[in-house]
Each structure stands twice: as structure tokens, then as C-alpha cells.
């Protein structure tokens, strides 16, 4: 299993910034590497799943921790 | 994925109406779409280097107001800039990106911006006042792209 190589904190940002920052940050890591993303936007739950479904990047983890949404995305 | 296309027409020059085209185009580009926005009439205001976009509650009974206010008062001098200030403050406090920011990311993500040449001529706009990277074209050019697009929107 690959490890998380980078973390992105989008706390406080509203749609569509978490997705745009996710896309930008995925551009800085290699295929197969994982990115951990923190978000506070409740809409990110459906948006991260929709992003993964449409781009082919894999949403490995999606959970809620103390009012924050934590995602792990593996680059395609 | 790379073949999907979205074509958006932006016709409004108000701060609130500036959001849908830039949000959808930047997100579409992030999802791998070929995204283009055609700016026509008042929509061209969204391409200015120096943006001065405002909101107005006039003719817009759906705008939430901090306190109920008769329409005639909403039309008083200074009200529009006050409402714009309050709207921008609210957006900042809720983490909503500014139009400048969304526009910049859109450009970075490869969203193509097309200005309506006819509108530029009609209002004697100076192209130097608009941001770099804008192309100018007419209806036939837009339709050529929109005709093969998966999504077309008029905002």
C-alpha cells in the first residue's frame, strides 16, 4: 500500500475551492501516490466522490473527524 | 474524459451572477473538460483587469436582506455600494473565493475565455482594459464549439 505523501488543508474554503485545490495538488504528486485532504465544506462529501468518479483518481478514504472531513485520494 | 466539453455563455455583469460561469468552468476544467466561456453584453465586465462588480437588490426580491427594507429605500444613493460591501464581507467570512481568484484559477486550469467582438464594438470597449489571454469571436465560433459540447449553459 502506498503512503500518503502530501497533505492539503482546505479548512474554511467553500465550493468549488476544495476541488480546485485538490486538482492542483494532485498535479504535484506522482501516479499511485496518495494525498490526504482536510475539508470543512459539507458539500465536499458528495463532491469528492463525484470528482473521483469522473477523473479516475481513487477516493481511498472518506471520513468525518471532529467536524472535519478527511479524504485520502490516490492519484491515477 | 478529455473529450467532454462544456460551453457557457455569460451575459451578466453583476457580482453574484459572475459566480456560476467561473465556478462551473473551473470545476469542469478540473474534471478534465474542455471548458469555454463566451462573454457577451454585460458579461464582458467580468473580463476587466480591474473588476468593479456590484450586487443590487433592485428587481431581485429573492436577495436575503439583513433587515426588511422598502424597495424605494433600496434605490437610494449609496445603497448599491453598501450592499456590495456587505455581500463581499459575507462571502469572505464563509470562505467563498473572490471572482478574481476564481477567474485566475480558471485561466490556470485552461478555461478558454472568448469575448463577443460585437459587444466590444457596440460599447466602444478597449481591449487593453480586459485581461490577457482573451480571444474575440462571434456567434458562429461559439456555436461551432457548442454544437459538439456535452453541456451548454446560458447564464
Amino acid at each position: 500500500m502506498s503512503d500518503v505523501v502530501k497533505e492539503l488543508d482546505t479548512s474554511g474554503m467553500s465550493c468549488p475551492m476544495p476541488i480546485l485545490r485538490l486538482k492542483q495538488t494532485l498535479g504535484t504528486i506522482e501516479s499511485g501516490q496518495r494525498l490526504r485532504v482536510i475539508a470543512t465544506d459539507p458539500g465536499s462529501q458528495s463532491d469528492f466522490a463525484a470528482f473521483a468518479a469522473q477523473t479516475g483518481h481513487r477516493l481511498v478514504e472518506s471520513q468525518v473527524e471532529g467536524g472535519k472531513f478527511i479524504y485520502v485520494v490516490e492519484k491515477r | 474524459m478529455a473529450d467532454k466539453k462544456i460551453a457557457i455563455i455569460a451575459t451578466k455583469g453583476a457580482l453574484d451572477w459572475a459566480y456560476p460561469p467561473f465556478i462551473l468552468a473551473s470545476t469542469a476544467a478540473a474534471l478534465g473538460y474542455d471548458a469555454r466561456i463566451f462573454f457577451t453584453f454585460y458579461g464582458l465586465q467580468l473580463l476587466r483587469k480591474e473588476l468593479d462588480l456590484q450586487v443590487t437588490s433592485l428587481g431581485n426580491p429573492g436577495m436575503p436582506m439583513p433587515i426588511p427594507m422598502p424597495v424605494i429605500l433600496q434605490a437610494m444613493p449609496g445603497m448599491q455600494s453598501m450592499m456590495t460591501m456587505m455581500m463581499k464581507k459575507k462571502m469572505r467570512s464563509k470562505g467563498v473565493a473572490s471572482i478574481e481568484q476564481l477567474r485566475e484559477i480558471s485561466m490556470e486550469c485552461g478555461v478558454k475565455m472568448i469575448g463577443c467582438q460585437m459587444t466590444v464594438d457596440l460599447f466602444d470597449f478597449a481591449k487593453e482594459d480586459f485581461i490577457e489571454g482573451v480571444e474575440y469571436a462571434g456567434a458562429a465560433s461559439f456555436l461551432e464549439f457548442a454544437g459538439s459540447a456535452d453541456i451548454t449553459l446560458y447564464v
Side-chain angles (χ1 to χ4, degrees):
Chain A
M1 278 281 105
S2 49
D3 293 321
V4 170
V5 294
K6 215 169 205 175
E7 188 167 280
L8 168 67
D9 191 352
T10 69
S11 297
M13 294 182 195
S14 289
C15 170
M17 292 309 293
I19 288 292
L20 298 180
R21 293 282 180 238
L22 166 64
K23 163 73 181 172
Q24 286 178 326
T25 312
L26 281 173
T28 66
I29 66 172
E30 303 296 322
S31 176
Q33 291 185 328
R34 292 181 176 187
L35 172 68
R36 193 172 125 97
V37 188
I38 303 160
T40 51
D41 171 22
S44 65
Q45 282 188 294
S46 55
D47 276 356
F48 272 62
F51 176 84
Q54 291 176 82
T55 56
H57 299 298
R58 209 156 65 86
L59 185 57
V60 184
E61 261 180 63
S62 172
Q63 51 185 311
V64 189
E65 263 179 44
K68 294 205 171 198
F69 304 97
I70 316 286
Y71 306 98
V72 175
V73 182
E74 187 177 291
K75 184 170 176 173
R76 171 167 81 110
Chain B
M1 224 71 69
D3 295 324
K4 281 212 167 192
K5 294 180 187 175
I6 179 168
I8 301 172
I9 302 184
T11 64
K12 306 216 170 42
L15 175 67
D16 40 1
W17 284 100
Y19 277 89
F22 288 123
I23 288 179
L24 290 170
S26 57
T27 304
L31 292 173
Y33 282 72
D34 179 356
R36 298 191 192 181
I37 312 175
F38 186 79
F39 297 85
T40 189
F41 278 78
Y42 319 109
L44 272 169
Q45 304 290 3
L46 312 184
L47 292 178
R48 289 196 179 278
K49 283 177 189 158
E50 298 298 328
L51 290 174
D52 182 27
L53 302 173
Q54 308 262 308
V55 291
T56 178
S57 60
L58 299 174
N60 181 10
M63 184 182 286
M65 303 286 273
I67 43 163
M69 193 182 291
V71 174
I72 192 146
L73 285 183
Q74 296 171 25
M76 298 293 279
M79 285 304 286
Q80 182 171 299
S81 50
M82 197 185 84
M83 281 180 207
T84 300
M85 220 176 65
M86 287 169 75
M87 180 67 90
K88 283 187 173 173
K89 196 174 154 211
K90 187 166 199 67
M91 284 170 159
R92 263 197 309 275
S93 76
K94 299 280 185 177
V96 175
S98 67
I99 290 299
E100 285 87 344
Q101 203 178 356
L102 284 173
R103 186 174 74 176
E104 199 183 314
I105 296 176
S106 295
M107 296 290 272
E108 281 169 17
C109 292
V111 175
K112 221 170 177 183
M113 315 275 181
I114 301 134
C116 169
Q117 181 66 53
M118 182 275 278
T119 309
V120 172
D121 297 338
L122 172 66
F123 294 126
D124 293 317
F125 285 151
K127 287 182 180 169
E128 306 87 75
D129 293 338
F130 296 125
I131 52 171
E132 307 290 322
V134 176
E135 288 175 27
Y136 296 89
S141 310
F142 174 78
L143 289 170
E144 184 186 15
F145 178 76
S148 63
D150 301 270
I151 301 172
T152 52
L153 297 172
Y154 182 92
V155 181

